Amino acid sequence: MTRNRDDLRVTRTREAIRSRFLDLLLQKNFNDITVKDIAAAANIGRGTFYLHYLDKYDLLAKVVDCGLDETLHHFHPASYFKNGQIIPKRLIGFTTDIFKYFKENQRFFRAMLFNEGIPNFRSRMQQRFLQKFHHDISGDAVLAAAIDPMSMEILPIFISSGMIGLIAWWFGNGMRVPEAAMARKIYQIMTTGPLRTFGFSVNERSAER
């Protein structure tokens, strides 16, 4: 019983530290935040902070890892295909749900995407998505065989870079475009191509010259 209370106390303390840390990241550059600031915001002593984290960099690393782990839990690339073909309803549904997830967890994503003291978050987020994509796709023999090696290398980078940029744009513009509308437009771009989505016609023969 005592151990359960201690475990619960530890969990609550860590949640308070991480929550107040996100608040600070939304207000100040990470480089200007001190352990003293974090402890004061979480209403704990510095000694208590150091019982849980080595320093503010250790805290940041754990907050990022936890946030990305939770995000990737919603990402299942192989489930959007069947027999090597895309299932539109599933892909659109996933994209809608992931934007809803970003909205629900916007404190975390705003803090990480827009704090100038955390310059590597976008690349870390992209690498985690790419790792999950390649792991899931390579585990589906039919799907893996349907994708040529160069496309497997290039397209996930192209798509993930665009998605992360869109997320930042969406937050920066007050999330004024509804999640479902974002999902439909992204699906159109992915299936039609950027140029055709813009309305340009493409002369396929000229590309062969």
Side-chain angles (χ1 to χ4, degrees):
M1 191 72 173
T2 302
R3 181 175 180 179
N4 289 339
R5 285 200 301 268
D6 290 342
D7 290 344
L8 182 59
R9 188 180 301 111
V10 168
T11 299
R12 287 177 174 172
T13 300
R14 288 179 179 171
E15 287 178 350
I17 293 171
R18 295 185 183 194
S19 180
R20 300 290 78 78
F21 180 53
L22 287 179
D23 289 340
L24 287 171
L25 288 174
L26 291 169
Q27 301 165 17
K28 300 173 63 176
N29 187 301
F30 171 73
N31 297 325
D32 298 328
I33 297 173
T34 65
V35 169
K36 182 179 179 181
D37 294 332
I38 300 168
N43 197 29
I44 60 173
R46 291 178 62 187
T48 300
F49 175 90
Y50 286 117
L51 288 175
H52 300 277
Y53 303 101
L54 297 175
D55 50 33
K56 70 174 188 176
Y57 300 97
D58 180 44
L59 171 59
L60 175 63
K62 287 182 169 59
V63 167
V64 170
D65 286 341
C66 182
L68 291 181
D69 284 345
E70 291 179 1
T71 304
L72 288 169
H73 179 70
H74 299 269
F75 181 51
H76 306 286
S79 67
Y80 317 139
F81 299 86
K82 185 175 182 179
N83 298 324
Q85 294 185 325
I86 192 74
I87 303 174
K89 185 176 180 180
R90 290 185 186 177
L91 182 58
I92 294 173
F94 157 73
T95 310
T96 301
D97 289 343
I98 200 68
F99 271 92
K100 288 180 179 177
Y101 177 82
F102 290 139
K103 186 175 184 178
E104 292 168 359
N105 295 275
Q106 61 178 291
R107 269 204 322 152
F108 169 77
F109 290 105
R110 285 183 181 278
M112 298 300 154
L113 289 169
F114 299 116
N115 193 298
E116 295 180 357
I118 311 176
N120 298 321
F121 176 75
R122 296 190 188 204
S123 61
R124 287 191 64 182
M125 184 176 178
Q126 182 180 35
Q127 286 304 311
R128 292 290 300 277
F129 270 98
L130 291 174
Q131 289 170 4
K132 180 72 181 295
F133 175 84
H134 286 296
H135 176 271
D136 284 18
I137 297 301
S138 62
D140 186 317
V142 174
L143 187 55
I147 306 175
D148 70 271
M150 184 175 290
S151 294
M152 178 68 90
E153 185 173 357
I154 293 174
L155 286 178
I157 297 173
F158 179 81
I159 294 171
S160 60
S161 296
M163 279 295 294
I164 293 171
L166 273 175
I167 294 164
W169 171 85
W170 193 58
F171 282 135
N173 284 270
M175 301 174 290
R176 59 182 175 80
V177 181
E179 296 92 322
M182 289 291 293
R184 288 193 296 271
K185 181 57 66 176
I186 290 169
Y187 176 78
Q188 180 186 7
I189 293 170
M190 291 177 67
T191 55
T192 306
L195 294 177
R196 288 193 172 92
T197 301
F198 263 122
F200 293 113
S201 59
V202 180
N203 187 338
E204 300 288 356
R205 292 181 181 178
S206 65
E208 299 174 359
R209 297 176 184 174

